[in-house]
Amino acid sequence: MMRKKYWTTRELRALGKTGNEITAAVRRGEIHRIAFSLYTSEKPTDMVKLAALAWARPGLVYTGPTAAFLHGLMPMSWPAHGSISRGRSSDGGKLLRLTTAVQQHSVRVNDVPVLSALATAIDCQEVGVRERRDFLQRSYGGVKGNGRLAADLAALPPSRRARAADLTGGLITGTASNLELRAVRAIVIALDGLDVTVEVNSMIRGYYFDIVIPEARVCIEIDSWFYHSAETASSEDFVKDRWKGNAAVRWGWTLLRYPDASIRKALDEVAAEVLDTVEFNLANPRARKLRTHELPTDRQVWLWHPR
């Protein structure tokens, strides 16, 4: 019986347990009562109780302060808040405060269904704007951060998108490292007032580049010594990195590369050079015709290179 995490009273009785035996097992600490007709074999922490309640109610999505707790924004407070699909009972007992709603876009945190980080930040008015923006920046970091943020934004009801835009305006997401984040912040500030977009971990010719300014056809790579030098990078990564740069340049992009030491020690100079490059490209659109004929080497290197 202990291999299972959660049971209803009906399931325990199906195992041959009487009411007295269930009560005795609870008294001995072999199982724990979460709510009416709901038991667990684990110590009933806040997370265990939330997971048990979600297990017992398919379709439950945690919202409000409970979503904020699951995302690490606020401490847990009971009763938990959640939504359930229309047509289902909204009686959550003592531990659940439920609302009914159309099926909501959700993610899983610790395998528990919860509103997205973006939707949670919009609703969590108890937390200051700066703290929520920092939270969103952490939540949507990494190579796929921008894609996840776009999906969560698109899933919001139209009535909430304006608030989302206010909360995420100027936010830097999708960064893979603190080093890259420092560079992006400096470049965003340097380009303030120019009608350009700063994209992070954006794709050109099948390759991801750290920073892309599409209107000026400028792409930027932040190269750490460990991952990009010939001495420490793998031979495959070293080869890929060179062909990646070639593909961008051959197809009309200005590629700027900066080592990590320059981000740490000469960030003002980096930002100034990016600004000058962007302004020059905007003022002088390339007169030469862009390529239309693709060589095999213009494709991603792993599709054709012998290694």
Side-chain angles (χ1 to χ4, degrees), residues 90-105:
S90 60
D91 182 5
K94 294 181 179 180
L95 292 182
L96 271 178
R97 184 173 298 168
L98 292 176
T99 58
T100 57
V102 295
Q103 189 173 14
Q104 298 193 70
H105 172 70

Side-chain angles (χ1 to χ4, degrees), residues 45-61:
T45 61
D46 287 333
M47 273 304 311
V48 168
K49 289 193 285 186
L50 291 173
L53 292 167
W55 171 83
R57 284 181 171 268
L60 169 67
V61 176

Side-chain angles (χ1 to χ4, degrees), residues 2 5 27 43 57 76-77 92 98 103 114 129 136 145-146 215 225 229-230 268 281 285 296 298 306:
M2 292 307 167
K5 286 186 178 181
R27 189 180 305 117
K43 183 179 179 180
R57 284 181 171 268
M76 183 61 196
S77 60
L98 292 176
Q103 189 173 14
V114 59
V129 172
L136 289 174
N146 286 331
E215 297 84 355
W225 173 258
S229 73
D268 289 344
N281 283 10
D298 288 319

